[in-house]
């Protein structure tokens, strides 16, 4: 069962907004394979092998600060990473259970959106046509800390209030963006950030498995 980190709301879940990398897509190892290349190109400190676990216990903003990345470089890095992913999408797989998760949420009559700093083309390529078709709304290419405006755009397009929406991601910035827009924040524990750093921000739910997400959505469905 999903672990509630805050008092759950009685409002139904009519829309689930997923992050992509680290939430649906298992891109962590691929990113680590190119991080030294990125560090050299954009002149920030490299990540030593022993530092990876330490960085998982820091917030998204703390990681950026630790690596010495200037804020103005973030859009440049994001664009470059999107291009690299586009050329290497065949090396990145979905997390086990992602296809079933999307299929079963859609079968509940709950809408699905994808908000990510990755591109829509990359996400569709990694998802594959069948699974990509289960997503009702794409809002891609967000800046690293620019998800909140994308969230608001999705809510307007889907006609669903923030109170009836669950955002699911794997980083602290995903929780921050959900809070900024008034929607519920769910955090998966199989992605980038550690359980400790996510728990410290008090998301509405922590999910250890895709089944936990299904249980939460089912328990908060319109028919419940």
């Amino acid at each position: 069962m999903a672990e509630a980190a805050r008092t759950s709301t009685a409002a139904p879940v009519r829309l689930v907004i997923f992050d992509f990398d680290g939430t649906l897509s298992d891109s962590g190892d691929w990113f680590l394979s190119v991080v030294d290349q990125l560090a050299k190109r954009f002149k920030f400190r490299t990540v030593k092998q022993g530092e990876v676990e330490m960085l998982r216990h820091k917030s998204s903003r703390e990681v950026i600060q630790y690596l010495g990345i200037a804020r103005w470089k973030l859009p440049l890095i994001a664009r470059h990473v999107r291009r690299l992913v586009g050329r290497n999408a065949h090396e990145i797989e979905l997390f086990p259970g992602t296809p079933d998760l999307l299929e079963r949420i859609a079968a509940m009559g709950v809408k699905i959106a994808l908000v990510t700093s990755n591109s829509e083309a990359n996400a569709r390529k990694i998802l594959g046509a069948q699974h990509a078709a289960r997503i009702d709304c794409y809002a891609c290419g967000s800046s690293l800390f620019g998800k909140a405006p994308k969230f608001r755009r999705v809510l307007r397009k889907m006609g669903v209030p923030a109170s009836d929406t669950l955002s699911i991601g794997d980083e602290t910035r995903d929780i921050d963006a959900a809070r900024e827009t008034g929607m519920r924040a769910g955090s998966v524990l199989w992605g980038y950030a550690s359980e400790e750093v996510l728990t410290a921000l008090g998301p509405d739910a922590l999910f250890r498995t895709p089944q936990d997400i299904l249980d939460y959505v089912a328990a908060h469905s319109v028919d419940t």
Side-chain angles (χ1 to χ4, degrees):
M1 296 279 299
E3 302 170 35
R6 295 168 64 95
T7 303
S8 62
T9 174
V13 173
R14 297 170 50 207
L15 170 65
V16 176
I17 302 179
F18 283 104
D19 170 54
F20 189 62
D21 294 291
T23 301
L24 299 180
S25 166
D26 188 4
S27 54
D29 288 343
W30 175 84
F31 182 78
L32 287 175
S33 74
V34 301
V35 71
D36 284 349
Q37 171 190 335
L38 295 173
K40 181 178 181 180
R41 183 184 181 96
F42 294 101
K43 296 180 172 52
F44 61 87
R45 66 179 295 173
T46 58
V47 179
K48 305 294 189 296
Q49 187 173 3
E51 293 180 318
V52 174
E53 184 60 27
M54 176 270 292
L55 291 173
R56 292 185 65 242
H57 292 269
K58 293 182 177 292
S59 71
S60 302
R61 294 182 188 279
E62 288 172 338
V63 170
I64 297 301
Q65 183 178 16
Y66 181 84
L67 295 179
I69 303 175
R71 289 292 296 267
W72 67 267
K73 291 184 180 181
L74 294 177
L76 304 177
I77 295 171
R79 282 197 293 270
H80 185 69
V81 169
R82 285 194 287 268
R83 287 195 294 268
L84 289 179
V85 172
R87 294 199 293 264
N88 298 278
H90 61 281
E91 299 179 12
I92 302 172
E93 298 182 349
L94 300 175
F95 280 110
T98 290
D100 183 63
L101 174 63
L102 297 176
E103 179 181 0
R104 292 174 64 184
I105 289 179
M108 294 179 195
V110 175
K111 297 297 184 182
I112 302 173
L114 191 71
V115 174
T116 174
S117 57
N118 213 327
S119 70
E120 180 175 343
N122 288 344
R124 286 183 177 274
K125 192 180 298 185
I126 295 168
L127 283 165
Q130 179 181 359
H131 308 314
R134 301 194 189 283
I135 295 174
D136 301 287
C137 181
Y138 287 83
C140 302
S142 66
S143 62
L144 194 63
F145 297 103
K147 279 194 168 184
K150 297 281 188 180
F151 282 168
R152 295 188 185 98
R153 189 177 308 168
V154 169
L155 294 177
R156 289 194 299 269
K157 183 174 181 178
M158 301 303 295
V160 177
S163 60
D164 292 3
T165 303
L166 170 66
S167 167
I168 300 177
D170 70 309
E171 296 186 52
T172 60
R173 61 193 177 98
D174 298 314
I175 299 174
D176 292 338
R179 292 279 178 261
E180 185 177 339
T181 50
M183 59 183 66
R184 275 168 279 186
S187 298
V188 302
L189 299 180
W190 56 79
Y192 172 74
S194 70
E195 179 175 354
E196 290 76 13
V197 74
L198 292 170
T199 301
L201 290 184
D204 295 279
L206 296 171
F207 303 115
R208 295 189 180 279
T209 68
Q211 183 61 49
D212 289 343
I213 297 175
L214 292 169
D215 291 342
Y216 183 96
V217 174
H220 296 81
S221 67
V222 176
D223 297 330
T224 300

